[in-house]
Amino acid sequence: MLTGSFLLFLVQPMIARLALPRLGGAPAVWNSAMLVYQALLLGGYGYAHLLGRLAPRRQRTLHLTVLLAACAFLPIGLSARAPPAGAEPALWVPYLFAVSIGPLFFAVSSQAPLMQRWYELARPGTDPYPLYAASNLGSFAGLVAFPLLVEPLLRVTSQRWLWTGGYLLLIALVLACATRLPPRATSAADVAPSEPAPPRSRVLLWVVLGLVPSGMMLATSTFISTDLVAMPLLWVIPLALYLLSFSIAFAARRWLADTLTGAAPVTILLFGGIMMGGFSEMATLSTLMALVLLFMISVALHTSLYRLRPEPARLTGFYLAMSVGGALGGVFAGLVAPTLFDWTWEYPILILAAGALVPQAPLAAALRVLWERRGARLGAAAVILVGLTVAAAIVAQGPGGLRVVRHTSATFVVIAAAGLLTLGARLPYLMVLASALLLFGGFRSLSLSLEPGARLRSYFGVYTVVDEPNRRTLVHGTTLHGVQLTGSPARERTPTTYYTPGSGVGRAMRAAPLLFGARARIGVVGLGTGTLACYARPGQSWRFYEIDPAMAQLSHARRFTFLADCAPGAAIELGDARVSLERAAPASLDLLALDAFSSDAVPMHLLTREAFAVYARVVAPRGVLAVHISNRFVNLGPVVAAAARAGGWRALILNHRPDATEEEGTPSSWIVLTRDPWTQALLAGDEGDWRALRRRPGFAPWTDDYATILPLLRF
């Protein structure tokens, strides 16, 4: 079970990594991969459920046949099939993933429930459920191993053969288990359950208890990276805690699971409201609280699942229902929520759902007597509702209205005390929890959602437009994406933030007429607010490559007018930039600016040696490539330096600190590359702040076959 789960969580990021150069980094690729994984996992659990109805000998023969038949798809990799003309990507990409890893993933995904069923058949009367802890330890190990060990140490080709070896080991282990099955049981009656089938309400509860932690895991990843800290590899921690919660909840020794489950309602009440505040000024502490909240919810609800488990003869159906819930939670948080909501509303919704599901008990016997009185719970809920309404009305009359809710220690103490008193009374408890979520951030987020144009959400995150005196800003989570000055036409056309005239890209753009003439051809990867468009000159040809349609929507909605005011004729090509540039004509650009690396999600496939070969083909021989490497967490200088050396580029770096003359300027790091010595000398000019980009000794360039950010992280 451990080996099978390890292989599953190793292949998920591995196959998506293989797909990046061919399919690009568009969200549809990752979403399609996740949908295929969830569908195959459900299929594997359904297969294990149906197989469990057969006699042990038939189970052994059929399952080993399935495992061996899937060997035809080894070594694991992405199919070389090309999409037919006019193929719909939303259908073609899932099909490609399914034919590439479908049989292997299907065969391996059945291991967790099937091996527990075999264990119970081999040792009648024993409880196989604690073995599920081994499965989730394997999942955790595979999850951690890929970014920390496999990707940094092995090329993709070696990774494929490593996984192949692991699969062959799994077959040997399954064969060893199959020899322990009872030889005499030959009919289905020998393995039939002794208890009646669980009612539909119980199955539905299994599904819901699997749904909430799964959705909460994804919602926590989105919330902390959007409202708290945008850090690479942060998604690993919530998923790891989610997997570890299974190991605790299904463990044979129950004291830890029971202790954490008992404390979960208090944790949800105290941390849930605080997290809604999104305290970015205390990002580390807030992130830790969000992770603790996720872990406690997951342990509590998975412990509830364990307490509701059926007899071992029905465990495959139990795991199938739990898997359905996990898939539905992933679909809700990963696909439905970004479509329906303009903010991470799935986070408070799932916190409330967890509060409604976690086991509760009153703190004292007197409180138990109180809540058992007729009408006590409805009366308490009515009082709480009136109090919340009065508080909202008072806040709405103050300066800033509901958008400015000031949190005080007294408010927190009152809510905490009321919540502790309502433990064991589900409805009043949920009313207090809802009050905490609203007062500590819900009202503010709701007011922003109701303000037209203030928020926009896509699969890449939540964008918030903030209008302030003399300026308008765009924030993507915790990353500043742009600032436009207001008050006059001249101010509205002024480049700001990372793109001021003194920045590396500002100097390159200002030098373009001298270098390439009046009809220079300019390309920009990453539209943002369109600030760079204000370097456009009459006669020039401009083209933006943007992966997120939300950015184009912001510019066309005239929330930011850089593009409309400065380069109204600029073309916007939606989609992954590398895929788009591979279709571009050779030497069709004089200057190409790469501005896609300032957030937490670094698109590795845009910085590989193969990607720089694409840029070398598209950029004219005397052209310029400008790369923005400003990043709080990753030092991308060595990557660009190694790629420049491998591709024959000359590279200069400018770490710019804006002075008082550059209003709303932001410190930035830009690298300019060219293959022409005269162009390099002209770009450097007489100013001495340009430096030759030095390569890190021993650092190999990223390739489509090998890339890792671990050596580049800034801790």
Side-chain angles (χ1 to χ4, degrees):
M1 286 172 62
L2 185 145
T3 302
S5 297
F6 178 87
L7 292 175
L8 284 182
F9 275 79
L10 194 64
V11 75
Q12 290 186 20
M14 185 187 300
I15 200 70
R17 172 74 175 81
L18 281 168
L20 278 179
R22 281 183 55 186
L23 304 177
V29 175
W30 297 97
N31 293 336
S32 297
M34 289 306 300
L35 285 175
V36 170
Y37 297 152
Q38 290 171 337
L40 291 174
L41 187 64
L42 276 176
Y45 274 46
Y47 157 75
H49 178 59
L50 294 175
L51 196 65
R53 299 180 177 182
L54 302 179
R57 285 184 177 179
R58 293 184 178 180
Q59 292 184 37
R60 175 176 57 197
T61 301
L62 182 56
H63 188 52
L64 286 172
T65 301
V66 169
L67 288 171
L68 291 172
C71 287
F73 292 82
L74 294 174
I76 197 165
L78 198 64
S79 172
R81 301 184 187 188
E88 172 58 46
L91 300 176
W92 165 252
V93 174
Y95 167 76
L96 180 63
F97 278 113
V99 298
S100 299
I101 65 167
L104 290 166
F105 198 99
F106 172 84
V108 175
S109 64
S110 63
Q111 293 306 117
L114 188 60
M115 291 301 104
Q116 290 177 78
R117 184 74 177 106
W118 284 12
Y119 181 82
E120 193 271 338
L121 290 173
R123 299 184 178 182
T126 58
D127 184 6
Y129 284 102
L131 287 178
Y132 197 53
S135 170
N136 286 280
L137 284 176
S139 301
F140 174 78
L143 172 70
V144 174
F146 183 80
L148 299 184
L149 294 175
V150 175
E151 188 178 46
L153 298 178
L154 299 175
R155 296 182 177 275
V156 171
T157 304
S158 302
Q159 294 174 22
R160 295 172 59 197
W161 286 107
L162 171 69
W163 199 93
T164 299
Y167 184 79
L168 296 177
L169 172 64
L170 178 66
I171 293 178
L173 293 173
V174 172
L175 180 60
C177 291
T179 61
R180 307 301 299 273
L181 288 174
R184 296 181 180 178
T186 56
S187 67
D190 294 318
V191 295
S194 59
E195 299 177 0
R200 291 183 180 179
S201 58
R202 175 64 59 87
V203 175
L204 179 61
L205 183 56
W206 290 343
V207 172
V208 174
L209 288 172
L211 184 155
V212 174
S214 172
M216 190 68 189
M217 179 266 297
L218 290 176
T220 299
S221 300
T222 302
F223 181 78
I224 60 180
S225 62
T226 297
D227 277 27
L228 297 177
V229 54
M231 182 178 177
L233 300 180
L234 194 60
W235 61 271
V236 172
I237 303 176
L239 184 53
L241 293 175
Y242 171 78
L243 295 172
L244 286 177
S245 72
F246 279 109
S247 298
I248 294 175
F250 282 74
R253 297 181 179 180
R254 306 301 309 155
W255 68 270
L256 182 56
D258 293 340
T259 301
L260 295 178
T261 300
V266 179
T267 306
I268 294 171
L269 178 69
L270 298 182
F271 286 7
I274 294 176
M275 295 318 307
M276 281 295 293
F279 299 110
S280 56
E281 65 274 9
M282 297 186 297
T284 301
L285 179 60
S286 297
T287 301
L288 289 175
M289 287 193 292
L291 295 173
V292 170
L293 178 63
L294 166 67
F295 184 64
M296 296 294 283
I297 288 174
S298 299
V299 170
L301 297 186
H302 291 152
T303 297
S304 296
L305 273 170
Y306 179 82
R307 292 172 179 174
L308 295 171
R309 68 194 187 280
E311 62 172 320
R314 296 192 181 276
L315 67 79
T316 55
F318 168 72
Y319 284 119
L320 178 61
M322 190 170 67
S323 177
V324 169
L328 291 176
V331 169
F332 169 67
L335 297 179
V336 176
T339 303
L340 291 181
F341 306 138
D342 66 347
W343 184 67
T344 52
W345 286 109
E346 65 272 20
Y347 191 64
I349 289 173
L350 289 167
I351 290 176
L352 277 174
L357 291 170
V358 293
Q360 292 187 17
L363 291 178
L367 290 173
R368 184 186 302 275
V369 173
L370 171 65
W371 296 124
E372 288 177 352
R373 292 181 180 177
R374 186 174 183 179
R377 302 188 182 198
L378 286 177
V383 171
I384 295 169
L385 180 60
V386 171
L388 178 61
T389 304
V390 171
I394 294 173
V395 172
Q397 299 302 318
L402 293 176
R403 193 164 174 175
V404 182
V405 180
R406 292 173 176 80
H407 317 120
T408 65
S409 300
T411 307
F412 180 78
V413 170
V414 169
I415 290 178
L420 293 176
L421 291 174
T422 58
L423 284 177
R426 188 75 62 177
L427 181 59
Y429 172 85
L430 288 176
M431 295 296 296
V432 174
L433 178 58
S435 301
L437 295 174
L438 288 170
L439 290 174
F440 284 89
F443 280 139
R444 185 187 65 219
S445 296
L446 185 60
S447 63
L448 283 170
S449 294
L450 294 176
E451 182 180 329
R455 268 190 175 148
L456 188 64
R457 184 173 182 179
S458 71
Y459 285 112
F460 290 90
V462 177
Y463 302 95
T464 303
V465 180
V466 181
D467 285 310
E468 300 174 307
N470 300 319
R471 73 172 195 164
R472 180 179 295 120
T473 63
L474 176 67
V475 179
H476 177 197
T478 58
T479 301
L480 178 66
H481 257 319
V483 175
Q484 184 169 24
L485 304 177
T486 58
S488 69
R491 287 173 56 81
E492 292 175 359
R493 290 179 171 85
T494 301
T496 58
T497 62
Y498 314 105
Y499 318 105
T500 58
S503 66
V505 72
R507 298 185 190 187
M509 292 293 183
R510 289 187 289 126
L514 177 62
L515 290 170
F516 313 117
R519 307 187 70 83
R521 301 160 299 172
I522 313 293
V524 179
V525 173
L527 174 60
T529 57
T531 310
L532 283 176
C534 286
Y535 287 105
R537 297 292 179 265
Q540 291 181 347
S541 172
W542 279 67
R543 179 175 294 272
F544 288 90
Y545 300 91
E546 175 57 52
I547 196 172
D548 192 351
M551 291 292 95
Q553 184 177 341
L554 278 171
S555 62
H556 287 145
R558 297 189 65 82
R559 293 294 290 169
F560 291 89
T561 61
F562 288 120
L563 203 61
D565 293 343
C566 304
I572 300 177
E573 188 162 339
L574 295 175
D576 183 82
R578 177 169 166 181
V579 175
S580 298
L581 288 169
E582 285 175 347
R583 298 193 298 259
S588 56
L589 293 174
D590 297 308
L591 194 159
L592 176 61
L594 298 182
D595 183 30
F597 314 112
S598 59
S599 66
D600 63 310
V602 176
M604 292 181 175
H605 67 296
L606 296 182
L607 288 174
T608 63
R609 188 166 56 189
E610 293 84 352
F612 273 79
V614 173
Y615 309 146
R617 185 186 66 84
V618 174
V619 175
R622 292 183 54 247
V624 172
L625 176 65
V627 184
H628 188 195
I629 64 166
S630 303
N631 194 293
R632 291 170 295 174
F633 298 105
V634 185
N635 176 19
L636 295 172
V639 180
V640 180
R645 181 181 179 88
W649 298 84
R650 300 168 176 265
L652 297 171
I653 184 171
L654 176 61
N655 296 312
H656 179 62
R657 298 293 180 268
D659 56 28
T661 64
E662 296 179 319
E663 188 175 358
E664 294 295 342
T666 303
S668 63
S669 295
W670 283 88
I671 297 172
V672 293
L673 305 97
T674 182
R675 290 161 290 174
D676 180 66
W678 179 82
T679 302
Q680 183 188 37
L682 191 60
L683 280 171
D686 297 328
E687 302 178 58
D689 44 2
W690 286 98
R691 295 184 296 105
L693 180 64
R694 300 185 181 277
R695 61 186 299 264
R696 179 183 293 182
F699 187 90
W702 284 357
T703 66
D704 289 345
D705 196 45
Y706 176 81
T708 175
I709 66 170
L710 283 184
L712 308 171
L713 289 177
R714 294 186 174 111
F715 293 99

